[in-house]
Amino acid sequence: MDTLALEATQPKKAQNGALVLLPGPPIPAKRKPAKKTKKAVVFFEVEILDAKTKDKLCFLDKVEPNATIGEIKSMFHKSHPQWYPARQSIRLDPKGKSLKDEDVLQHLPVGTTATFYFRDLGAQISWVTVFLTEYAGPLLIYLMFYFRVPFIYVPKYDFTTSKHWVVHLACMCHSFHYVKRLLETLFVHRFSHGTMPLRNIFKNCTYYWGFAAWMAYYINHPLYTPPTYGEQQIRLALTVFLFCQIGNFSIHIALRNLRPPGSKTRKIPYPTKNPFTWIFLLVSCPNYTYELGSWLGFTLMTQCLPVAAFTLVGFIQMTVWAKGKHRSYLKEFRDYPTLRSPILPFIL
Amino acid sequence: MASGEEDGTVEEKETNNKKRTKGAIATAWLTFYNIAMTAGWLVLAVAMVRYYLQKGTHKGLYRNIARTLKFFQTFALLEVGHCAIGMYCILKCYISISLQIYKEISRYYFWCAKGIVRTSVIVTGVQVCSRIFMVWFVTNSIRQIQNEESVILFVVVWTITEITRYSFYTFNLLNHLPYFIKWARYNMFIVMYPLGVIGELLTIHASLPYVRRSGMYSLRLPNKYNVSFDYYYFLIIVMLSYIPLFPQLYFHMLRQRRRVLHGEIVVEKDE
């Protein structure tokens, strides 16, 4: 005990990965003079092995017991610069779940020499980047079709506009929707994870851009047929669309307010004074419900089969996400309201 | 899962019994299925040889065997089901209501999780779908190409491949596999696959002018649903899709071949 206390009071030399960090929020690794403390501190040793080959990749000694996994990842990054922290998956068991960045070393079921397994998650890209790219695409692509840029339709229609007013309305709604999404990504959303695998951006962009092009081609086509029930149908569709857009935005604001800036806390969302959030009484993920509603409105407005297909595929994907979210809410919170369904009240 | 195994030996025995009965029924069905398919494709092969010997030409041969070919090729859809039965079980427990029931079902279906046939649903699905598409949507619908040589090419290739494949499965299920059948199954595809693909692509290519002229299976604008579909361009896209898909299937088979034919030798060396 005495020797350890002695070590704590002596200034530390820079060693490979060894850091003295004060308890608190994770900060980039810096060399700091040892804090003068009379309390005996038991330092941990951390061994990082490759999860597949079990090779020893890194050995860190004199790790503070209250160091977080995030800090350990930074230390590991110093010895292996090609694996930045977002790319690292650190786990207790080679086949187990990844440890969170906030987990504290001394609270984990490890001895004073901790063995972790490392898995490379592959190149990562930030969520914000992915969202911005996948939403900017449809916005621009749709406008290209709307203004009938050359090489899409027969040349005599280049740069003409449709004679149906519903086509103009549809363009405004579609553009509004994606501008709203872009602004929400920049100013509203608070993301749990910083990054996702790089290949996701190709997959997501293909989906969004592909469908946007397919929809826009038919809606802005010179031979477009307006909805069967005319103005009534369009008016109803517009009402549904706007209602759900406002609803979707209200939910995003409500979810943002659940989480203080910079934190990753998870709480049960409850209805607020805003009537659009009262749907929280019946549904776990009302943002998806409102999203489905918006696209149903748009389908009704344009009466276009590709739009219906896009709505359907989106609905299936959102249902899968909603069910997953609902299940994790149930697992995490004992007192989770039982009346709620994942995405559709009482149905799904 | 570890705690589940410690839970009770009684439960284990029950699960094992369930496994055994499930195993017996599945094996019996698969044996019947594979024998039937082997027989079917043999009938087809014999019919083709007889026709050629009698008539001396391949013209009109397709019309002669069309019905049998369509029947047995469509029957192969069941194969997707064989792999998928496992996935359906997983899906069922995934959707189940409470964690309690989930644990119960997952223990029971853990065996099912492998499917009753150890092949990926996607690989089998793609193969069977492409066959069905060729038979029903190309050769069946477009009469003018039925006397093309490319049609005979791929039909002959399919017949040889399927007879080898189904007899391999049959003998495997009966636990009495002659080496030459295994050799045939894992070596003939090296030549048969590319030949079959060439036959299929040439057939689709030959059908293009007729499709364009007749405008079959196509939907034009303007219409109420604001959608269009051009079968001609669809066929071109299908032909292009062979480029990414064929190498994947081919290398999948090559990897299987390496594992089955050469994997055994490695194991023996170790022991």
Side-chain angles (χ1 to χ4, degrees), chain B residues 237-248:
Chain B
I237 293 174
V238 167
M239 285 175 71
L240 290 173
S241 70
Y242 272 78
I243 300 176
L245 290 177
F246 166 69
Q248 289 195 21

Side-chain angles (χ1 to χ4, degrees), chain A residues 218 221 223-225 303-305, chain B residues 221-226 228:
Chain A
Y218 289 109
H221 200 282
L223 296 175
Y224 171 76
T225 314
Q303 198 170 297
C304 178
L305 203 65
Chain B
L221 286 176
N223 62 68
K224 205 165 41 151
Y225 297 111
N226 292 308
S228 69

Side-chain angles (χ1 to χ4, degrees), chain A residues 266 268-269 280-288 318-334 336-348, chain B residues 94-99:
Chain A
R266 292 155 73 87
I268 305 179
F280 268 121
L281 292 166
L282 298 172
V283 168
S284 289
C285 301
N287 49 324
Y288 295 142
M318 289 192 289
T319 307
V320 171
W321 288 338
K323 281 189 179 284
K325 190 106 214 203
H326 185 74
R327 206 173 311 116
S328 62
Y329 273 146
L330 286 172
K331 233 195 301 187
E332 197 169 336
F333 304 109
R334 304 248 115 223
Y336 194 72
T338 45
L339 189 60
R340 296 190 189 183
S341 313
I343 186 172
L344 294 177
F346 308 116
I347 308 174
L348 206 52
Chain B
Y94 192 71
I95 303 175
S96 44
I97 313 156
S98 73
L99 291 168

Side-chain angles (χ1 to χ4, degrees), chain B residues 172-232:
Chain B
N172 227 0
L173 285 162
L174 299 172
N175 288 319
H176 187 78
L177 182 67
Y179 185 73
F180 87 91
I181 301 254
K182 185 194 231 174
W183 183 93
R185 154 118 170 103
Y186 284 106
N187 280 304
M188 291 188 64
F189 80 90
I190 299 177
V191 170
M192 293 290 139
Y193 244 52
L195 279 181
V197 165
I198 292 172
E200 289 169 31
L201 285 177
L202 283 175
T203 314
I204 300 178
H205 181 81
S207 71
L208 287 177
Y210 302 106
V211 169
R212 181 145 233 188
R213 210 177 308 146
S214 66
M216 64 190 301
Y217 295 155
S218 299
L219 182 63
R220 296 243 180 277
L221 286 176
N223 62 68
K224 205 165 41 151
Y225 297 111
N226 292 308
V227 68
S228 69
F229 180 74
D230 196 336
Y231 194 49
Y232 177 79

